[in-house]
Amino acid sequence: MHDRTAQSSGIDRLVQVMARLRDPDSGCPWDIEQTFDTIAPYTIEEAHEVAEAIRNGDMDELRDELGDLLLQVVYHARIAEEDGHFDFETVANHVADKMIQRHPHVFGNDVVTTAEAQSVNWEAQKARERAERAAKYGREPSALEGIALGFPALMRAWKLQKRAARVGFDWSDARAVLDKVDEELAEVRAEIDAGTGHDRLQDELGDLLFTVANLARKLGVDPEGALRETNAKFERRFRGVEQRLAREGRDPADQALDDLEAHWKAVKHAERAGGAADDSDGSQSA
């Protein structure tokens, strides 16, 4: 087995390695036990790690993470092959056929001269495919067909709104959405003041988050990316607070909130002095 895989192309070798790992007689006990459901979380995790490597601009890391993500595809294809559904070759050929079908200006006789025109054609083709998928599963056609439930909630909100906007269900501009944000925030405040239960608060807070995602869309901002950057900013600053306290021999858990806030402001001031991006206020929120 080793000699044969060593002489194969990279993808063939990986497919053979996975087959060996899943061999019920001589494979790895852990790999043999895995299913689509148990592997799916790793697939999502690896996709995020690819994105992180890209953000870091680390090509060695990106090479490794792309390999890990490819392994996930091979893993799922192997399980499907064992169950008699399809194999990796089928997956690869299917996506190749789809790319050819969606690029008739490259592989056929259509003429497309701009990226914008191609985007229009691409979306039209995808819309036809979504309609075919809905018909296949006996669902009514919908502009929202094909937006996976597995997306992070903030991303899915953005995609739902973007798709609805294509058929005219949209706010006139970002300021109109801002008014809606104010309205939803007021409703959250009202529920808090009324002392209502968890379910009502969750419902109103969900409406607020959904509207904020819509505001991001109208402003041309990726809400997942914006929140990701804010998460990183908060982590960086909070670690800065911890480091300042550690130099003084103090534990953050033992400090008063006012003291923690003072250190937070000091970290933000140091960032401003160093030219880092910063907020305009001095609150402990990012």
Side-chain angles (χ1 to χ4, degrees), residues 160-269:
L160 287 167
Q161 296 155 1
K162 184 178 179 181
R163 194 74 68 74
R166 289 179 187 160
V167 296
F169 192 71
D170 197 10
W171 299 97
S172 57
D173 55 34
R175 291 190 179 278
V177 189
L178 270 174
D179 292 339
K180 186 64 175 177
V181 170
D182 290 339
E183 176 187 326
E184 297 295 351
L185 183 58
E187 292 179 4
V188 172
R189 290 183 183 276
E191 295 296 340
I192 293 174
D193 292 342
T196 53
H198 174 271
D199 289 347
R200 286 296 307 151
L201 284 170
Q202 177 174 282
D203 184 60
E204 294 298 346
L205 190 58
D207 290 346
L208 176 60
L209 292 171
F210 190 83
T211 306
V212 170
N214 218 343
L215 176 61
R217 180 184 61 84
K218 293 299 288 185
L219 293 173
V221 173
D222 171 17
E224 280 288 328
L227 184 56
R228 183 168 53 244
E229 292 301 319
T230 296
N231 287 342
K233 180 169 60 177
F234 178 85
E235 181 178 6
R236 181 180 69 246
R237 291 176 177 173
F238 189 80
R239 286 178 180 273
V241 171
E242 291 177 316
Q243 291 164 7
R244 287 173 60 89
L245 290 170
R247 288 195 294 269
E248 299 171 4
R250 300 162 64 191
D251 187 332
D254 298 331
Q255 311 312 309
L257 179 58
D258 288 347
D259 194 21
L260 292 174
E261 178 76 7
H263 280 281
W264 180 271
K265 290 180 178 179
V267 169
K268 292 180 69 174
H269 177 75

Side-chain angles (χ1 to χ4, degrees), residues 108-137:
N109 297 321
D110 287 9
V111 177
V112 174
T113 57
T114 67
E116 182 179 1
Q118 168 55 15
S119 294
V120 172
N121 290 348
W122 178 275
E123 291 302 332
Q125 175 64 28
K126 290 180 67 175
R128 288 191 291 271
E129 292 173 1
R130 286 193 294 267
E132 291 171 0
R133 186 185 304 114
K136 177 181 178 181
Y137 293 105

